[in-house]
Amino acid sequence: MMKLIMFSVREDEKPAIQKWKEQNGIEITTVSEDLSLETVSMVEGFDGLCIQQRTELKDELIYIQLAEYNIKQISLRTAGYNIVDMNLAQLYGLKITNVPAYSPRSVAELVLTQVMRLIRNFPLIEASMSQGDFRWSGRVAREIHTLTVGIIGAGNIGGATARLFNALGARVIAYDPVEHEKLKELVTYMPTQKELLESADIISLHVPLDKHTINLIDAEALNQMKSGSYLINAARGPVIDSPALIDALESGKIAGAALDTLPNEQYFFNQNLSGKDLPDDHLKILITMDNVLITPHIGFYTTEAVQNMVDSALDSVVSIILNGTNENEVQ
Ligand code: NAD
């Protein structure tokens, strides 16, 4: 019987893994450690492996060891695969697979939730109520069907987000150098990012992080946004220039922001820092603002997405072992 090993397994993944095991009749050993030079010996005797981790696999000895154990693949249960050295993987005959779109709805529904909270002024209302202030003044809400939602990066997640807001009667506009035919029924593409920024009441970012999108929303872009508009980032932290955003929020140029991702988030998100000093100066400011909502990179974190990540990643292991190919193979 085929035997697989899964690294960095969280408790909440175990029911999803159990379900896949029962459906596929394959033996799986789970460990909580990341794959590394120290742990690679655990792979001996297994037919395939599945990982998810932030620590990089840059040491050639890891690849040499895996090849010695007759391993043919590394399956990541994440979309990103930049932790793998693709040259070393190729050199040692390891095929790399990822999970490109585990549940676009998971992130889209977080964006919808946060937009509705922002336009209802919930951060301010909750902060003042916790001080015993129950007044209405300055807290009048907007209705979503009267607003224009601008999506920057209308791919899988941006497209799912566009569909949700379209269903609620909002006008949805998008900027993406690649226009997707199917979305044209419900989205108006803008020719430039500037025109989108100038026209939208709510802007939601869904671009990948690359050299073109670092600080995509800088002081100049924030200045192009409508006064009193809202900014949502569920893409990657460095897409927004944090100091420029703080200035725009303090001046009132931007009415509010919802941030599921922040620069340097590896030092604080998914960690318990209660009683400790926060390790990031921008986080310290943003977290106290009564027009900002911060979530710890939980957009993807739904039962459905976790099951999809596990299913897709384990299906890829089996398919590479049995057939040598898989649609989620990355080059
Ligand atoms: P995708 O590849 O399907 O879509 C990205 C889109 O962005 C593409 O259509 C691309 O053409 C467009 N794009 C690229 N550069 C652009 C630019 N400069 N301006 C405008 N559009 C541009 O990716 P996806 O699955 O929709 O994911 C989008 C991003 O969401 C990911 O790269 C990741 O950073 C983030 N993400 C966040 C979470 C979370 O939990 N918050 C979960 C998964 C993914």
Side-chain angles (χ1 to χ4, degrees):
M1 189 201 277
M2 194 185 285
K3 280 167 64 186
L4 311 181
I5 180 164
M6 289 177 87
F7 286 86
S8 317
V9 172
R10 300 183 312 257
E11 279 306 309
D12 61 272
E13 289 181 296
K14 289 186 177 169
I17 295 167
Q18 184 60 30
K19 202 167 163 188
W20 189 90
K21 260 164 80 169
E22 283 163 14
Q23 283 165 355
N24 292 274
I26 287 175
E27 200 179 305
I28 300 183
T29 296
T30 61
V31 297
S32 58
E33 294 93 336
D34 285 355
L35 177 65
S36 68
L37 199 51
E38 288 70 45
T39 61
V40 67
S41 59
M42 290 181 184
V43 179
E44 190 168 13
F46 288 94
D47 302 299
L49 76 154
C50 179
I51 65 168
Q52 68 171 344
Q53 60 193 53
R54 289 204 189 111
T55 43
E56 300 198 325
L57 295 174
K58 297 298 176 201
D59 197 320
E60 188 169 2
L61 282 173
I62 297 173
Y63 298 82
I64 294 173
Q65 289 271 83
L66 291 175
E68 275 177 13
Y69 299 148
N70 208 20
I71 292 290
K72 301 285 178 229
Q73 53 66 237
I74 302 176
S75 166
L76 294 109
R77 31 190 210 289
T78 51
Y81 53 91
N82 52 313
I83 58 152
V84 176
D85 184 321
M86 295 303 288
N87 292 326
L88 289 176
Q90 197 181 12
L91 188 62
Y92 292 99
L94 297 162
K95 297 202 165 171
I96 308 301
T97 54
N98 70 342
V99 183
Y102 32 84
S103 173
R105 271 293 285 257
S106 62
V107 183
E109 290 193 15
L110 175 79
V111 172
L112 171 65
T113 306
Q114 299 301 62
V115 165
M116 296 310 288
R117 294 182 73 208
L118 281 176
I119 65 174
R120 284 266 150 187
N121 297 307
F122 269 22
L124 174 63
I125 290 170
E126 286 172 357
S128 23
M129 281 180 59
S130 70
Q131 303 299 315
D133 178 354
F134 297 88
R135 286 175 300 168
W136 291 355
S137 174
R139 288 132 173 92
V140 65
R142 309 288 302 274
E143 292 181 26
I144 192 68
H145 60 96
T146 68
L147 300 175
T148 298
V149 178
I151 308 281
I152 302 186
N156 285 310
I157 296 172
T161 306
R163 284 190 181 85
L164 291 181
F165 285 106
N166 172 265
L168 292 173
R171 176 173 175 247
V172 184
I173 60 176
Y175 172 68
D176 192 317
V178 183
E179 299 193 0
H180 302 273
E181 280 310 312
K182 268 197 193 158
L183 268 187
K184 286 188 179 166
E185 288 164 22
L186 48 117
V187 159
T188 306
Y189 278 100
M190 306 302 274
T192 62
Q193 177 179 291
K194 181 170 178 281
E195 282 162 88
L196 179 138
L197 293 173
E198 288 168 349
S199 314
D201 302 295
I202 296 154
I203 286 154
S204 194
L205 306 172
H206 300 289
V207 292
L209 180 64
D210 59 31
K211 62 177 193 263
H212 305 291
T213 59
I214 289 182
N215 287 341
L216 186 73
I217 303 300
D218 57 7
E220 189 187 349
L222 287 158
N223 205 33
Q224 289 164 351
M225 287 172 62
K226 279 168 84 166
S227 283
S229 55
Y230 298 90
L231 182 62
I232 321 297
N233 186 9
R236 285 290 179 267
V239 172
I240 298 182
D241 177 3
S242 297
L245 174 64
I246 291 168
D247 287 348
L249 286 161
E250 281 175 344
S251 73
K253 167 77 185 173
I254 305 296
L259 310 169
D260 189 45
T261 54
L262 283 171
N264 305 317
E265 64 182 47
Q266 66 273 26
Y267 301 116
F268 40 90
F269 283 171
N270 201 16
Q271 298 188 36
N272 184 357
L273 299 176
S274 56
K276 295 192 187 136
D277 194 30
L278 293 179
D280 184 86
D281 289 341
H282 300 130
L283 173 68
K284 276 183 193 165
I285 299 172
L286 288 163
I287 210 160
T288 61
M289 298 182 94
D290 60 16
N291 53 355
V292 176
L293 290 166
I294 296 180
T295 43
H297 205 142
I298 46 144
F300 80 98
Y301 197 43
T302 64
T303 308
E304 292 77 5
V306 170
Q307 184 74 56
N308 289 346
M309 285 162 126
V310 165
D311 288 351
S312 171
L314 289 173
D315 287 348
S316 299
V317 183
V318 174
S319 136
I320 297 275
I321 292 174
L322 294 181
N323 313 317
T325 60
N326 182 259
E327 57 180 1
N328 293 334
E329 190 177 334
V330 292
Q331 302 300 332

